[in-house]
Amino acid sequence: ALSWSGLPERDRLLLDVVMMGCITESLNASLLNVIYAHAKKGEAAELLHKILKDEVKHGQIGWAHLNHECQQRDCRFVADYLVEMIEVSVNDALFLPALEPLDESSYAFGVMPHRDRLTQFTRTLETVICPGFDHFGIDSSSLRAWGESKVAAG
């Protein structure tokens, strides 16, 4: 169970939307965007584009909801849950050495090579997610530190 299960309903809703929209969907959109950029023309590229558009919309919904809530009340408490949110959202295998690493050719099948996934994850965390929270006055330093420690340990 998530640590915020005992909070008031409005706070739980905000944290759920932030975890799914601002974190998970922002990461998914970023990763899919890179895969789409490597896709060849054709049906696979069209499908990737449709999925990418959905992921972007879902991320936008999360950030829009956070924006709305921040205009209504103090949302700095969200910072206390950022690390838990990302730990729920991200598979630990991302930070482990790949047993059977994929090479560049895996993009043809819509799969990002492991080495590119970690780089893209880190870039998205540093340039999209953390600055997004900082913009709304939500301290993302714990999230940045978590990301740095995971990358250093991996």
Side-chain angles (χ1 to χ4, degrees):
L2 299 169
S3 68
W4 60 83
S5 61
L7 294 177
E9 186 175 348
R10 186 175 178 187
D11 292 351
R12 289 193 322 263
L13 175 63
L14 175 60
L15 293 171
D16 286 344
V17 171
V18 165
M19 181 174 69
M20 293 307 299
C22 302
I23 294 178
T24 304
E25 298 294 355
S26 293
L27 287 168
N28 289 345
S30 174
L31 295 173
L32 273 170
N33 187 51
V34 173
I35 293 169
Y36 175 69
H38 283 83
K40 306 286 187 238
K41 302 282 185 211
E43 288 182 31
E46 288 178 30
L47 179 59
L48 283 169
H49 189 250
K50 286 180 182 179
I51 296 169
L52 174 59
K53 283 173 39 177
D54 277 349
E55 299 299 294
V56 168
K57 287 177 188 173
H58 299 155
Q60 289 172 331
I61 290 168
W63 292 107
H65 183 71
L66 178 59
N67 179 51
H68 174 77
E69 286 294 305
C70 286
Q71 290 176 1
Q72 305 297 314
R73 63 189 177 125
D74 182 358
C75 292
R76 289 179 290 185
F77 75 95
V78 170
D80 297 337
Y81 301 93
L82 292 177
V83 170
E84 181 180 3
M85 289 179 193
I86 198 135
E87 286 181 342
V88 169
S89 300
V90 175
N91 186 329
D92 278 340
L94 175 67
F95 304 103
L96 300 173
L99 296 176
E100 296 179 26
L102 300 171
D103 63 21
E104 195 78 13
S105 66
S106 68
Y107 278 115
F109 304 102
V111 179
M112 183 181 288
H114 183 271
R115 72 180 189 327
D116 292 353
R117 268 186 261 166
L118 185 56
T119 300
Q120 190 61 28
F121 168 82
T122 303
R123 184 178 300 129
T124 304
L125 190 63
E126 293 173 353
T127 64
V128 176
I129 295 173
C130 288
F133 289 125
D134 293 339
H135 171 79
F136 291 112
I138 297 168
D139 181 11
S140 69
S141 60
S142 64
L143 194 54
R144 289 178 198 278
W146 176 89
E148 290 167 6
S149 69
K150 284 290 201 177
V151 170

